[in-house]
């Protein structure tokens, strides 16, 4: 079921009604599990296509329950088997020597299911949470709101949402939740059409230039435009989806964690990951970076090794994050680019602080031109690294030639200067707009203070978005993160 | 005369706070640091993901406890850290 379909809208209305009527914890668990199974059922064309997925889910439950009573080594074994099962389900090229099934099966949502199973197994083993029952496990791991592409909510938070009795929705709360859903549909159904259209016009030109191994400023400019168009499209599509999910969750009485926090306002590459796909970044921090860095620090406790082991932990974490995104060697390159970016960023920060002194570096970081430069470098680097996601497998070889690499480096430089100009101009424009923003906000506040106006305004926005989606041409472009 | 439970709780929290302050000063190599409950990475710029683990290891060693994965990742400020150590040490 696509989340931009009429079927999904009808399903959401059903879920909102059912979950608002189910008052007790037991009733809500039963209701959400039933809704999950209905939602899940729409992804499988035949019962056979669902068998591997069902086996993975059941094995995940066995892993979680077993984690409670095994030793540390036992847990490591459970996690290794879970990783292997996940890699086999996703058909990673690294393990293509393993036998596959003679029929097609569905893997939608498996990547996020994997995150939840590992989180449950580790936390149950350490007795940070109580082992869930099978129905609690199904209600959490298959939650229809977050099933396809996250966010990755922690089990404790999810359980709390279901245990806390739902409060009666006020018109203002309803208005805010509906506004988020409408805004999400606007981004996915209208804006992402435009960004996808722009990207699809540039992409073939990039391939043609790469095939002819042309190196020129024009080619670098076209590549830069394609990279940035894809980045913007990814952000619009992914954040739009999150608005729909979070808004629907609120209407169901479930608070879903935020997954984006204005990533375009990042101050550096490290900070970018606290703003982009936040819950997945946190999962990697909790279950890869922290334990790895802790173990390395215990093994090599000398202070002069701290920077080195920090770099190793960062690189491994971001490399795994990259590999998680896809099954081919291209994603190893993507992971290596992320790892390299974060290591260089950290090294630079340490050296700059050592050279300029704490106060000197702090002063530098507060200068508008420097903030704009760091922001431009980060966003440009991410845009170029994301090439790994949009290049088709049949065109991947075109990006491995010296001419292509030169074009990409030139495009990176081109993007930095372009984004820097926008960011620096944006800083001064923002400063100016704050002066005129207050009277505008005061005027708008007159409307927002009237509760009876909220539903009217929501209805107007819904109508506008409905018309715009139909004008834009119906179904939204395929949601990219659904593939992970 | 016996101390009241409230007075005991205040004393133990004060001792944890005192010990914690010394750990922060050592880890961040700054004897002027004075911790407070709301203190987080925002107030202490050197408190990044690398120094967080150094801090966790120093706390584990100093208080003789082992923090769980979820606890290590979920700590947001000094107040939470002190409450966690108090709960784990049973002070």
């Amino acid at each position: 079921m696509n989340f931009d379909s009429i079927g999904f809208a009808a399903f959401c209305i059903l879920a909102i009604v059912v979950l608002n009527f189910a008052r007790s914890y037991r009733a809500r668990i039963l209701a959400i599990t039933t809704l999950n199974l209905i939602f899940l059922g729409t992804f499988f064309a035949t019962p056979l296509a669902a068998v591997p997925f069902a086996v993975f889910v059941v094995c995940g439950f066995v892993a979680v329950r077993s984690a409670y009573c095994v030793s540390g080594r036992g847990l490591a074994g459970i996690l290794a088997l879970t990783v292997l099962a996940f890699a086999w389900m996703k058909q990673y090229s690294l393990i293509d020597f393993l036998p596959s099934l003679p029929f097609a099966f569905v893997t939608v949502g498996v990547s996020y299911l994997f995150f939840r199973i590992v989180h449950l197994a580790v936390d149950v083993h350490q007795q940070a949470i109580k082992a869930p029952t099978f129905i609690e496990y199904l209600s959490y791991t298959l939650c229809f709101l977050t099933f396809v592409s996250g966010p990755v909510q922690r089990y404790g938070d999810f359980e709390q949402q279901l245990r806390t009795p739902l409060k009666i929705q006020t018109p203002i709360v309803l208005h805010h939740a509906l506004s988020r859903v409408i805004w999400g549909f606007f981004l996915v159904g209208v804006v992402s059409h435009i960004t996808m259209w722009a990207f699809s016009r540039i992409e073939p030109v990039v391939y043609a230039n790469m095939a002819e191994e042309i190196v020129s400023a024009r080619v670098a400019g076209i590549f830069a435009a394609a990279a940035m168009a894809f980045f913007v499209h990814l952000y619009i599509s992914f954040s739009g989806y999150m608005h729909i999910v979070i808004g629907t969750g609120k209407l169901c009485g479930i608070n879903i964690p935020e997954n984006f926090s204005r990533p375009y306002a990042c101050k550096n590459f490290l900070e970018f990951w606290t703003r982009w796909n936040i819950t997945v970044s946190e999962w990697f921090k909790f279950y890869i970076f922290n334990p790895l860095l802790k173990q390395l620090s215990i093994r090599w406790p000398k202070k002069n090794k701290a920077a080195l082991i920090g770099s190793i932990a960062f690189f491994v974490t971001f490399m795994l994050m990259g590999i998680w995104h896809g099954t081919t060697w291209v994603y190893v390159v993507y992971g290596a680019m992320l790892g390299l970016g974060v290591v260089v960023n950290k090294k630079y920060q340490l050296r700059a602080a050592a050279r300029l002194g704490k106060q000197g570096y702090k002063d530098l970081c507060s200068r508008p031109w420097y903030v704009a430069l760091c922001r431009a470098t980060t966003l440009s680097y991410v845009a170029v690294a994301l090439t790994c996601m949009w290049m088709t497998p049949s065109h991947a070889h075109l990006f491995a030639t010296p001419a292509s690499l030169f074009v990409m480096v030139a495009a990176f430089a081109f993007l930095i200067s372009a984004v820097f100009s926008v960011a620096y101009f944006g800083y001064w424009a923002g400063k100016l707009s704050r002066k005129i923003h207050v009277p505008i906000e005061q005027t708008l506040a007159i409307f927002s203070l009237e509760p009876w106006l909220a539903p009217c305004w929501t209805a107007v926005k819904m109508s506008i978005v409905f018309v715009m989606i139909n004008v834009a041409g119906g179904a939204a472009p395929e949601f990219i993160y659904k593939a992970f | 005369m016996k101390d009241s439970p409230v007075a005991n709780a205040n004393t133990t929290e004060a001792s944890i706070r005192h010990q914690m302050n010394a750990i922060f000063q050592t880890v961040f190599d700054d004897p002027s640091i004075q911790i407070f409950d709301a203190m987080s990475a925002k107030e202490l710029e050197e408190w990044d993901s690398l120094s967080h683990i150094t801090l966790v290891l120093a706390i584990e060693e100093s208080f003789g406890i082992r923090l769980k994965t979820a606890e290590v990742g979920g700590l947001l400020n000094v107040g939470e850290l002190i409450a966690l150590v108090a709960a784990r040490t049973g002070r």
Side-chain angles (χ1 to χ4, degrees):
Chain A
M1 191 189 292
N2 281 334
F3 61 91
D4 58 333
S5 63
I6 296 290
F8 181 72
F11 176 80
C12 284
I13 293 167
L14 173 74
I16 291 162
V17 172
V18 169
L19 288 172
N20 276 287
F21 272 101
R23 306 301 302 171
S24 68
Y25 173 69
R26 205 184 166 83
R28 271 194 289 277
I29 284 281
L30 271 170
I32 204 161
T33 306
T34 311
L35 288 164
N36 291 348
L37 294 176
I38 295 169
F39 181 72
L40 196 60
T42 63
F43 289 98
F44 304 109
T46 61
L48 193 61
V51 171
F53 185 89
V55 171
F56 187 73
V57 171
V58 173
C59 289
F61 179 69
V62 174
V64 171
R65 295 295 292 198
S66 313
Y68 181 72
C69 48
V70 294
S71 63
R73 283 191 179 186
L75 177 71
I78 286 172
L79 295 178
L81 282 174
T82 309
V83 171
L84 187 66
F86 166 70
W88 180 82
M89 282 280 285
K90 295 285 284 183
Q91 298 178 313
Y92 271 80
S93 53
L94 197 70
I95 55 159
D96 58 4
F97 55 87
L98 289 176
S100 186
L101 293 174
F103 56 88
F105 53 92
V106 177
T107 58
V108 67
V110 165
S111 299
Y112 289 87
L113 184 59
F114 167 75
F115 283 149
R116 293 183 193 110
I117 291 171
V118 171
H119 151 53
L120 286 175
V122 173
D123 286 20
V124 164
H125 173 76
Q126 297 182 339
Q127 296 177 25
I129 52 170
K130 212 178 122 201
T133 62
F134 189 56
I135 199 156
E136 284 173 329
Y137 168 83
L138 290 181
S139 71
Y140 168 68
T141 53
L142 306 179
C143 178
F144 69 93
L145 289 162
T146 56
F147 174 72
V148 178
S149 299
V152 186
Q153 186 164 30
R154 294 188 66 74
Y155 178 69
D157 297 336
F158 176 80
E159 194 198 10
Q160 188 62 36
Q161 303 289 321
L162 295 185
R163 279 194 189 281
T164 312
L166 298 171
K167 287 176 184 166
I168 296 164
Q169 308 275 16
T170 63
I172 293 293
V173 172
L174 278 171
H175 169 67
H176 283 157
L178 265 176
S179 295
R180 285 202 75 163
V181 176
I182 295 164
W183 180 239
F185 273 108
F186 174 69
L187 290 176
V188 171
V190 180
V191 184
S192 82
H193 265 290
I194 299 165
T195 51
M196 193 62 207
W197 175 83
F199 172 71
S200 63
R201 288 287 174 282
I202 314 167
E203 189 189 12
V205 186
V206 172
Y207 293 146
N209 286 330
M210 292 293 191
E212 289 177 24
E213 297 195 21
I214 302 167
V215 180
S216 70
R218 187 182 153 274
V219 173
I222 291 170
F223 181 84
M228 192 47 82
F230 180 81
F231 186 15
V232 172
H233 173 68
L234 185 66
Y235 176 57
I236 295 292
S237 160
F238 199 9
S239 64
Y241 165 81
M242 286 301 151
H243 282 298
I244 297 171
V245 164
I246 291 168
T248 309
K250 279 192 197 303
L251 293 172
C252 293
I254 299 171
N255 267 327
I256 305 288
E258 295 291 342
N259 217 22
F260 288 95
S261 174
R262 301 189 307 134
Y264 48 83
C266 64
K267 288 176 185 159
N268 55 56
F269 191 69
L270 271 163
E271 203 223 0
F272 176 82
W273 296 102
T274 64
R275 293 170 173 274
W276 177 275
N277 207 357
I278 299 167
T279 57
V280 167
S281 300
E282 285 208 333
W283 186 94
F284 275 96
K285 188 177 155 191
F286 272 56
Y287 299 104
I288 306 287
F289 180 79
N290 285 346
L292 178 63
L293 183 59
K294 206 172 161 190
Q295 287 309 312
L296 291 173
S297 302
I298 291 168
R299 209 174 174 88
W300 291 287
K302 283 185 180 171
K303 221 174 176 180
N304 61 351
K305 299 267 187 230
L308 176 68
I309 61 171
S311 298
I312 293 170
F314 269 129
F315 190 83
V316 170
T317 306
F318 278 81
M319 176 64 119
L320 291 176
M321 197 194 272
I323 294 171
W324 168 80
H325 280 86
T327 58
T328 59
W329 65 267
V330 174
Y331 290 91
V332 178
V333 176
Y334 177 58
M337 284 186 78
L338 297 185
L340 183 70
V342 79
V343 168
V344 169
N345 189 168
K346 193 69 211 168
K347 285 258 179 201
Y348 169 79
Q349 280 181 334
L350 293 172
R351 288 212 175 167
R355 195 169 181 147
L356 302 170
K358 276 182 192 174
Q359 195 53 45
Y361 183 56
K362 205 175 165 183
D363 290 343
L364 179 68
C365 289
S366 64
R367 291 188 184 162
W369 69 266
Y370 185 77
V371 173
L373 184 62
C374 292
R375 188 169 296 161
T377 309
T378 298
L379 296 177
S380 306
Y381 188 78
V382 174
V384 173
L386 283 174
T387 305
C388 300
M389 279 194 198
W390 57 264
M391 65 163 79
T392 56
S394 58
H395 290 107
H397 67 281
L398 298 177
F399 292 80
T401 64
S404 302
L405 293 173
F406 190 77
V407 165
M408 282 195 263
V409 172
F412 178 48
F414 182 82
L415 274 173
I416 290 176
S417 53
V419 181
F420 172 78
S421 309
V422 173
Y424 197 50
F425 172 76
Y427 169 78
W428 294 109
K431 223 173 171 183
L432 184 71
S433 75
R434 271 190 286 278
K435 282 186 181 171
I436 55 170
H437 190 61
V438 176
I440 293 173
E441 245 190 7
Q442 280 169 349
T443 314
L444 289 174
I446 297 167
F447 296 100
S448 61
L449 283 175
E450 295 292 337
W452 62 271
L453 271 174
C456 302
W457 181 221
T458 305
V460 170
K461 283 197 283 189
M462 276 176 98
S463 312
I464 294 170
V465 170
F466 180 76
V467 170
M468 287 176 93
I469 288 174
N470 280 288
V471 169
E478 182 69 5
F479 178 50
I480 297 160
Y481 260 74
K482 191 177 164 186
F484 302 138
Chain B
M1 198 175 116
K2 276 187 176 179
D3 290 339
S4 71
V6 177
N8 272 336
N10 286 343
T11 315
T12 51
E13 197 197 302
S15 75
I16 291 172
R17 192 177 291 276
H18 181 74
Q19 205 172 332
M20 193 75 82
N21 203 64
I23 293 170
F24 267 77
Q25 289 175 347
T26 310
V27 168
F28 295 107
D29 198 19
D30 184 354
S32 69
I33 289 178
Q34 288 301 317
I35 59 169
F36 52 92
D37 279 356
M39 187 187 222
S40 66
K42 274 184 188 165
E43 286 75 27
L44 192 58
E45 281 182 13
E46 293 80 6
W47 192 352
D48 59 11
S49 38
L50 293 182
S51 56
H52 183 68
I53 297 301
T54 313
L55 187 65
V56 165
L57 287 170
I59 290 167
E60 286 185 343
E61 193 183 340
S62 180
F63 291 98
I65 54 172
R66 182 106 193 255
L67 299 181
K68 296 166 185 172
T69 305
E71 291 168 344
V72 173
L75 291 167
L76 294 175
N77 59 39
V78 170
E80 284 183 14
L81 198 49
I82 290 171
L84 178 65
V85 170
R88 296 296 296 279
T89 54
R91 289 196 200 176

